[in-house]
Amino acid sequence: MRLCLVILLFVSGSAFAQKDEVLHRMNRLHRLMEAADASTRSFLHDSLSYGHSNGWVENRQEFQKNLGSYLVYHSIKEDSIQAGVHRKVAHVRFNADIDATLNGTRSLFRLKVLEVWVREGRTWKLFARQATRR
């Protein structure tokens, strides 16, 4: 009985730690996007599908190329964050207020966002993202 309790505590503690790690990676990625920092690459899966609320979809290379030039993120504010982890896959849903300049026009986007993260080795990477207007 004691062994079962120890295993249950370890597994549930591990799940909370994984969720915290994903949320930390998400937050760090968003701050790097605001800074148009090239190190965002280490947060992105090679097969990234990054969907915007206007229907525009970028792969990893396009995302990297457009970040800070065609698309400039001034601020990304998340709230109502919900996250779940299942083995090597995590999903994060949140509402976002994104202040960004797209092709020279600055706007405030109020979005609902879903991000899917996958674990590669010891690191969580953004695999897919889709946004819709609120």
Side-chain angles (χ1 to χ4, degrees):
M1 178 69 168
R2 186 175 283 173
L3 179 61
C4 289
L5 183 59
V6 168
I7 291 171
L8 180 62
L9 288 173
F10 176 76
V11 170
S12 63
S14 176
F16 286 119
Q18 293 293 315
K19 188 188 299 187
D20 286 346
E21 187 179 339
V22 170
L23 292 174
H24 174 75
R25 293 281 292 177
M26 178 198 77
N27 190 296
R28 182 73 181 128
L29 173 61
H30 293 172
R31 302 302 70 86
L32 291 170
M33 289 166 58
E34 291 170 345
D37 191 314
S39 64
T40 56
R41 186 179 196 289
S42 66
F43 287 73
L44 307 176
H45 191 274
D46 288 342
S47 298
L48 175 68
S49 176
Y50 194 92
H52 297 269
S53 61
N54 62 1
W56 176 36
V57 179
E58 297 172 290
N59 62 30
R60 184 184 54 79
Q61 293 81 7
E62 293 164 335
F63 176 88
Q64 287 294 133
K65 179 181 151 216
N66 293 327
L67 183 63
S69 58
Y70 185 74
L71 179 59
V72 177
Y73 291 96
H74 304 289
S75 72
I76 302 171
K77 296 178 184 167
E78 311 90 349
D79 68 32
S80 304
I81 299 171
Q82 299 174 345
V85 176
H86 181 72
R87 296 188 179 130
K88 293 186 175 194
V89 178
H91 67 273
V92 182
R93 289 184 181 273
F94 56 92
N95 293 328
D97 289 334
I98 298 176
D99 179 10
T101 299
L102 177 61
N103 198 23
T105 304
R106 190 166 181 168
S107 300
L108 177 63
F109 300 93
R110 297 183 183 279
L111 306 174
K112 290 183 179 271
V113 180
L114 169 64
E115 293 183 349
V116 178
W117 293 76
V118 294
R119 189 167 178 93
E120 277 193 344
R122 305 184 90 191
T123 304
W124 288 96
K125 293 192 173 190
L126 182 62
F127 182 76
R129 183 252 199 201
Q130 186 59 58
T132 61
R133 294 186 188 263
R134 288 194 272 177

